[in-house]
Amino acid sequence: ACATAGITPQEAAFVGDSVSNDIRGSNRAGMISILIDRAGQETHHGNADETPTHKVRSLYELPSILKG
């Protein structure tokens, strides 16, 4: 997808609600990883692959992160 868009993985962000299914893969690909944790329950992540770059409670928070 990054190649098709003409960007590197480091220029891309992936938003997901699962550490194991979304965050781990995007971190391993070198992307910015954003965990959406609507309930505010995700507090500890086992290792660097499972630690999101950012954590949000709402998609409304994304514009301020992506403008960064």
Side-chain angles (χ1 to χ4, degrees):
C2 290
T4 300
I7 61 172
T8 66
Q10 294 77 15
E11 297 173 296
F14 192 96
V15 180
D17 62 357
S18 169
V19 170
S20 60
N21 293 329
D22 303 319
I23 302 306
R24 187 181 302 150
S26 56
N27 282 343
R28 288 180 179 173
M31 303 171 87
I32 297 164
S33 59
I34 304 171
L35 177 66
I36 183 158
D37 181 17
R38 290 183 176 94
Q41 295 179 349
E42 287 286 337
T43 57
H44 176 70
H45 305 286
N47 58 46
D49 282 349
E50 297 177 346
T51 301
T53 310
H54 301 278
K55 186 167 96 169
V56 298
R57 302 253 336 238
S58 166
L59 293 175
Y60 291 111
E61 297 175 63
L62 292 180
S64 64
I65 291 171
L66 298 175
K67 285 181 185 177

